[in-house]
Amino acid sequence: DDVWLPDKIARGVRLLSTLPAGHPVLVGGRSWVCDATLGHRRLSPLPRRATSFRHALVQNFAGGNTMMLNRAAIDLLRAAAAEAARVVVHDWWIYQMISGAGGTVLFDEAPLLLYRQHGGNQIGANAGVEAKIKRLRWMLRGRFRRWNAINLSALRASAHRFSPENRAILEDFARLQRADLFDRLAILRRIGLYRQGLEGTLSLWLAALLGRI
């Protein structure tokens, strides 16, 4: 029930066409976050750091309703979907797979659609104090840790599609869930996982401190 802006597809096609057809490309971008009547609009935040597999492991980069893929990315995901028993959120998994396999992930800074927020949203936009408090509670109750365990299982099943560097990062990420406190912090620092913004960074390190990663 989101409303696409008139140039959403055209902008995505232009970005996808900037890279060779045989190279997997994923495009996502900003949204106007709004209420159920399309009012009270606010722009989703701009990412402060680049997209990468180190980011994808712990945070999505854009709403799935903004995403577009080229044929090489679709073929990669179709093959990987047959290997993954379960994923947490399909668009987050798409970002993880494309970045892990060495594809290119592009972020369009222009808003691409109106993203309705209402009671039927599965997760909703991560905007506003209430949304941030909800996600903090999820982390403290272990939801982030459970999500990571599910993601790890799916990604390990397709790890043969990743670059050697990203396979090593994935295995280090798996060690985080069974390491003690000091090892968790050392691994997190060594492999350079990151989330966007100061709040995201603090929540990641808090999750590591509390064993909720």
Side-chain angles (χ1 to χ4, degrees):
D1 61 353
D2 304 316
V3 178
W4 290 10
L5 296 178
D7 60 347
K8 177 183 187 293
I9 294 178
R11 294 184 66 88
V13 169
R14 283 197 296 271
L15 285 172
L16 291 173
S17 65
T18 60
L19 289 147
H23 178 76
V25 184
L26 166 64
V27 169
R30 300 181 86 181
S31 304
W32 284 108
V33 181
C34 55
D35 61 23
T37 63
L38 305 181
H40 297 92
R41 298 179 188 181
R42 62 189 184 280
L43 273 174
S44 61
L46 279 170
R48 299 181 182 180
R49 301 183 66 178
T51 56
S52 73
F53 188 60
R54 287 179 171 85
H55 175 243
L57 283 172
V58 291
Q59 188 179 36
N60 202 353
F61 84 109
N65 48 10
T66 71
M67 291 181 180
M68 293 182 65
L69 303 155
N70 69 353
R71 175 53 57 185
I74 291 171
D75 291 342
L76 169 66
L77 295 171
R78 280 180 171 169
E83 299 163 344
R86 181 185 174 195
V87 299
V88 175
V89 183
H90 70 279
D91 49 330
W92 188 11
W93 172 78
I94 287 171
Y95 175 32
Q96 293 171 334
M97 282 301 310
I98 300 299
S99 60
T104 298
V105 181
L106 301 174
F107 187 87
D108 191 338
E109 296 186 1
L112 301 173
L113 51 81
L114 307 180
Y115 183 14
R116 293 183 198 260
Q117 301 297 292
H118 52 72
N121 290 117
Q122 181 183 7
I123 295 178
N126 187 16
V129 174
E130 185 177 350
K132 296 181 189 306
I133 291 173
K134 179 175 72 173
R135 281 165 170 74
L136 178 61
R137 287 174 178 164
W138 286 355
M139 184 272 287
L140 293 174
R141 293 170 182 170
R143 181 180 287 197
F144 184 49
R145 180 179 171 85
R146 291 192 296 273
W147 282 357
N148 285 337
I150 294 168
N151 286 339
L152 273 167
S153 179
L155 295 174
R156 278 175 145 177
S158 300
H160 59 284
R161 305 183 185 279
F162 293 171
S163 68
E165 178 185 5
N166 287 337
R167 284 198 298 272
I169 291 171
L170 182 65
E171 288 309 306
D172 274 336
F173 185 56
R175 294 185 186 100
L176 281 172
Q177 290 215 322
R178 55 182 186 270
D180 62 25
L181 172 60
F182 293 106
D183 284 342
R184 283 197 306 272
L185 298 180
I187 292 169
L188 183 59
R189 182 178 180 84
R190 184 177 74 250
I191 64 178
L193 300 180
Y194 62 91
R195 291 169 62 92
Q196 298 291 343
L198 177 60
E199 292 176 353
T201 299
L202 291 175
S203 69
L204 177 62
W205 282 91
L206 179 60
L209 281 168
L210 299 177
R212 297 292 191 271
I213 196 167

